[in-house]
């Protein structure tokens, strides 16, 4: 059995992450690097998890070979193709590296540009909703569900991680490549958008001495806890895992749509539930004070662009070798 070459989506994803680091270094050179790079918090954690999964997989494979009556399980294991393991480790490493550079870029945002777009975005929201701030409308309609929305919003991180890890273990196909590549594109283009319209969001409006426009917004327990954590990271100059403040566009909304896109492609019968969850995240982003409504619009456009680009870039060429039994899905 021969190893297959590295899939195109992995190479393209590595290129995207490399570009992000080049941009971060350029921005950092102008800001003077007055912060701590949260590299270790992500790369070490993800690398450890990846190695543990690989070791667990090797032990499972050895046990299966032994159960099948293989006289030399270790020899058979060593003879297996190495590329899938390398692809897995490479992907997990890229995920960790991208999370680190995303947090790095977010930490540099107030130092490099300042949060000048909050008033602009708040005014656009007010215009779009005919003289009303959208959070007021949201609380009129869904105020009774505020604790549930707060809890649902807190599940975003675990669900996003589960979705991404599930894709890793799918057989190689154009669909898998497109979905994973679109993830890297969504995250990277969101970072670009954050520098184009740098904002902190309603939840930090008063903290940044921008006024009391959102003083009456009723914040929920999970949101308050996360806000205080992020504000503490802001005050110390960054470095805490998951730190950094930015609102436009909303990565929460963007990756919620991405989750729905993945579920629709892999488990179409559950598409309704996935998009219902995305709708809750959209509402929650405004309802809880994290984002302006236009942040969700920006996120939706980024997902659309990312999906279109990924569909073009990740398609397996007809002359490339595909592992037997792995479908090439257009």
């Amino acid at each position: 059995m021969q190893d297959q070459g590295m899939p195109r989506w992995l190479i393209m994803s590595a290129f995207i992450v490399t570009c992000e680091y080049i941009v971060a270094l350029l921005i950092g050179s102008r800001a003077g690097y007055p912060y701590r790079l949260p590299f270790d918090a992500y790369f070490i954690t993800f690398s450890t998890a990846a190695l543990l999964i690989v070791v667990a997989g090797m032990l499972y494979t050895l046990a299966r070979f032994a159960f099948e009556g293989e006289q030399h399980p270790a020899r058979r294991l060593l003879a297996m193709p190495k590329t899938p393991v390398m692809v897995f480790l490479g992907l997990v490493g890229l995920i960790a590296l991208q999370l680190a550079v995303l947090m790095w870029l977010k930490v540099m945002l107030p130092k490099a540009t300042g949060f000048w777009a909050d008033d602009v975005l708040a005014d656009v929201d007010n215009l779009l909703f005919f003289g009303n701030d959208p959070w007021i409308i949201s609380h009129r309609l869904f105020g009774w569900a505020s604790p549930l929305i707060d809890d649902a919003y807190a599940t975003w991180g675990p669900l996003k991680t589960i979705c991404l890890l599930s894709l890793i273990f799918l057989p190689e196909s154009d669909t898998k490549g497109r979905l994973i590549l679109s993830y890297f594109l969504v995250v990277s283009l969101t970072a670009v958008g954050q520098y184009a319209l740098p904002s902190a969001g309603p939840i930090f409006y008063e903290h940044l001495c921008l006024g009391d426009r959102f003083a009456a917004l009723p914040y929920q327990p999970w949101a308050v806890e996360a806000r205080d954590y992020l504000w503490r990271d802001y005050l110390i100059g960054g470095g805490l895992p998951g730190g950094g403040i930015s609102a436009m566009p909303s990565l929460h909304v963007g990756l919620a749509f991405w989750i729905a896109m993945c579920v629709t492609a892999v488990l179409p019968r559950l598409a309704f539930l996935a998009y219902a969850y995305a709708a809750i995240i959209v509402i929650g982003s405004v309802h809880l004070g994290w984002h302006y409504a236009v942040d969700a619009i920006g996120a939706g456009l980024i997902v659309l662009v990312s999906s279109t680009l990924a569909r073009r870039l990740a398609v397996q060429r007809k002359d490339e070798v595909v592992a037997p039994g792995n479908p090439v899905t257009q």
Side-chain angles (χ1 to χ4, degrees):
M1 189 179 297
Q2 296 180 345
D3 277 353
Q4 307 298 322
M6 289 293 176
R8 180 186 297 185
W9 58 261
L10 184 64
I11 297 172
M12 296 301 302
S13 299
F15 176 76
I16 291 169
V17 174
T18 300
C19 290
E20 289 181 77
Y21 272 91
I22 292 173
V23 171
L25 287 168
L26 291 173
I27 294 173
S29 66
R30 296 183 60 186
Y33 300 107
Y35 41 78
R36 172 174 167 255
L37 173 63
F39 175 82
D40 53 346
Y42 295 98
F43 191 73
I44 293 176
T45 300
F46 273 72
S47 298
T48 302
L51 290 174
L52 289 175
I53 293 173
V54 169
V55 170
M58 292 172 63
L59 293 175
Y60 167 78
T61 304
L62 287 171
R64 180 167 61 85
F65 288 165
F67 180 77
E68 293 173 352
E70 176 66 47
Q71 294 184 351
H72 303 286
R75 187 181 302 172
R76 181 177 172 186
L77 178 64
L78 292 174
M80 293 181 66
K82 307 302 186 299
T83 297
V85 175
M86 299 304 297
V87 169
F88 172 78
L89 292 175
L91 177 56
V92 172
L94 287 175
I95 293 169
L97 286 169
Q98 189 180 52
L99 281 174
V101 76
L102 175 66
M103 297 303 107
W104 186 16
L105 287 166
K106 290 175 71 173
V107 166
M108 291 192 291
L109 183 64
K111 298 176 176 64
T113 65
F115 295 119
W116 59 263
D118 279 275
D119 283 329
V120 174
L121 296 174
D123 289 342
V124 172
D125 266 11
N126 193 267
L127 181 64
L128 289 175
F129 287 85
F130 306 101
N132 294 293
D133 286 334
W135 70 266
I136 297 177
I137 298 174
S138 172
H139 278 271
R140 286 175 183 168
L141 296 174
F142 307 110
W144 56 272
S146 292
L148 297 176
I149 294 173
D150 192 35
D151 290 339
Y153 207 79
T155 66
W156 172 86
L159 285 180
K160 178 258 297 183
T161 303
I162 291 171
C163 182
L164 191 53
L165 291 177
S166 298
L167 290 176
I168 292 176
F169 294 103
L170 289 179
E172 285 300 326
S173 68
D174 282 350
T175 296
K176 173 182 176 177
R178 172 174 59 85
L179 294 175
I180 293 178
L181 184 57
S182 64
Y183 167 84
F184 284 96
L185 285 167
V186 167
V187 175
S188 62
L189 292 179
T190 295
V192 173
Q194 289 168 351
Y195 274 80
L197 288 168
S199 56
I203 201 167
F204 292 108
Y205 204 84
E206 284 188 272
H207 285 63
L208 294 169
C209 301
L210 297 175
D212 59 356
R213 184 171 186 167
F214 298 96
L217 202 161
Y219 297 111
Q220 298 301 308
W222 281 114
V224 170
E225 185 173 342
R227 178 197 65 189
D228 293 345
Y229 177 86
L230 292 174
W231 186 248
R232 185 165 67 253
D233 178 72
Y234 172 81
L235 292 177
I236 66 175
L240 296 178
I245 296 173
S246 61
M248 172 67 174
S250 170
L251 185 61
H252 271 73
V253 171
L255 289 184
F257 282 137
W258 174 80
I259 291 171
M261 185 173 66
C262 292
V263 173
T264 301
V266 179
L267 298 170
R269 292 185 178 181
L270 300 180
F272 174 77
L273 292 177
Y275 277 101
Y277 177 77
I280 292 173
I281 297 299
V282 171
I283 294 170
S285 68
V286 173
H287 191 89
L288 300 172
W290 287 113
H291 293 282
Y292 306 100
V294 288
D295 297 350
I297 297 174
L301 292 174
I302 283 177
V303 173
L304 181 62
V305 170
S306 298
S307 176
T308 302
L309 288 174
R311 189 178 296 275
R312 293 175 178 271
L313 297 175
V315 173
Q316 191 83 25
R317 293 200 307 265
K318 299 304 180 182
D319 59 342
E320 290 178 336
V321 179
V322 180
N326 291 351
V328 177
T329 308
Q330 300 297 331

